Amino acid sequence: KREMVSMCLLCLYVQIEKEKWLVREKNEKEKRLVREKNMQWLFEMASDQDTKFQYNGQDKFPSGAWAGYYKQYGREHSLGEFTLETTDVDGHIKGLGIDDIGQYNISGRYNFENGRMVFTKSYIPGTGDSEENFGHDVEYRGALIQNSFSYGFRGSWYVRTFHYGGIGDYQIWPMNCLERDVVIEHARSSVTSSILTATETSPLFVSKGSYQS
């Protein structure tokens, strides 16, 4: 009888582990698809080829301290203060920061030709909130607001872990902007550039119906 119970428990354990593996594989496949779509979107140009992207103000990526917020659970959450910098002429970016979930590293790409940026925020396991930090990645993509670095970027984020999946909006801006308070308020209420409008109205990542916790 004990052997039968042990066998049943072993079969149950194997089944649970198999289901976990299948979920992890599905999540990894979905994340790879998101990153592929992001990179494709990063290098898409405006549909009107006669319209050349023009910067409103400086055209140099403002490396240094940045700040911002993201929307989740029906409210805004601070991204804290973090760093962003370009590492080469091709627009590769890196950074690091800390928020209410934990410490994280940033890696991604900025396209100087259309004002679009994609990056991955990778949380460092064992830091911050142990109930929220799974050492997971969050994928971001966005475009310059009004073609200006002063206004920062606005776009969408995506996350998928074993415990949770979701998407939402975000906005970030460089801390060295002298009029950042005015800029942020104006950016939230203003009509954005055509590139950003295209970002918000086009299908984001994959179907929203796929992201259910």
Side-chain angles (χ1 to χ4, degrees):
K1 188 175 180 179
R2 289 182 180 178
E3 291 180 356
M4 184 177 296
V5 172
S6 298
M7 285 297 296
C8 289
L9 291 175
L10 178 61
C11 290
L12 180 60
Y13 172 79
V14 171
Q15 181 63 28
I16 291 174
E17 290 301 309
K18 180 180 179 180
E19 290 178 358
K20 286 182 179 179
W21 180 83
L22 290 173
V23 170
R24 284 194 292 267
E25 285 296 300
K26 179 182 177 182
N27 290 348
E28 288 300 316
K29 183 178 180 180
E30 191 171 276
K31 286 192 290 186
R32 287 194 296 269
L33 176 61
V34 167
R35 290 176 180 174
E36 289 173 5
K37 286 181 175 291
N38 279 356
M39 291 304 295
Q40 181 181 0
W41 173 85
L42 177 69
F43 291 103
E44 288 177 354
M45 302 305 291
S47 57
D48 182 1
Q49 296 299 321
D50 294 330
T51 303
K52 182 176 175 59
F53 180 82
Q54 293 184 337
Y55 285 94
N56 178 13
Q58 70 170 18
D59 59 0
K60 182 180 180 181
F61 190 93
S63 296
W66 287 64
Y69 69 90
Y70 64 95
K71 293 182 179 180
Q72 188 180 25
Y73 307 129
R75 63 188 181 91
E76 292 182 0
H77 303 263
S78 173
L79 279 167
E81 186 171 328
F82 56 96
T83 63
L84 276 182
E85 62 177 310
T86 52
T87 60
D88 55 36
V89 294
D90 292 326
H92 289 93
I93 60 173
K94 68 177 183 178
L96 52 86
I98 184 171
D99 58 19
D100 54 358
I101 296 178
Q103 298 177 29
Y104 57 84
N105 295 313
I106 294 174
S107 62
R109 190 92 178 257
Y110 174 70
N111 189 341
F112 288 94
E113 299 298 321
N114 60 13
R116 293 181 175 185
M117 178 169 66
V118 300
F119 63 89
T120 301
K121 182 169 69 173
S122 302
Y123 282 101
I124 301 173
T127 65
D129 189 339
S130 59
E131 295 184 358
E132 295 287 341
N133 185 355
F134 305 106
H136 58 284
D137 295 336
V138 185
E139 306 297 332
Y140 287 79
R141 77 179 191 185
L144 281 177
I145 300 171
Q146 296 191 4
N147 297 2
S148 172
F149 283 119
S150 295
Y151 291 97
F153 293 83
R154 184 188 290 154
S156 299
W157 57 266
Y158 154 87
V159 65
R160 166 64 74 185
T161 70
F162 186 81
H163 306 275
Y164 171 79
I167 60 176
D169 301 325
Y170 81 93
Q171 183 176 330
I172 60 174
W173 54 86
M175 292 294 288
N176 63 0
C177 176
L178 297 179
E179 300 176 344
R180 60 178 178 272
D181 293 335
V182 176
V183 164
I184 294 164
E185 186 61 32
H186 179 68
R188 283 177 171 171
S189 60
S190 64
V191 178
T192 58
S193 68
S194 59
I195 288 180
L196 183 57
T197 301
T199 304
E200 294 179 332
T201 57
S202 62
L204 172 64
F205 305 125
V206 294
S207 170
K208 286 188 177 183
S210 301
Y211 307 139
Q212 296 180 4
S213 56

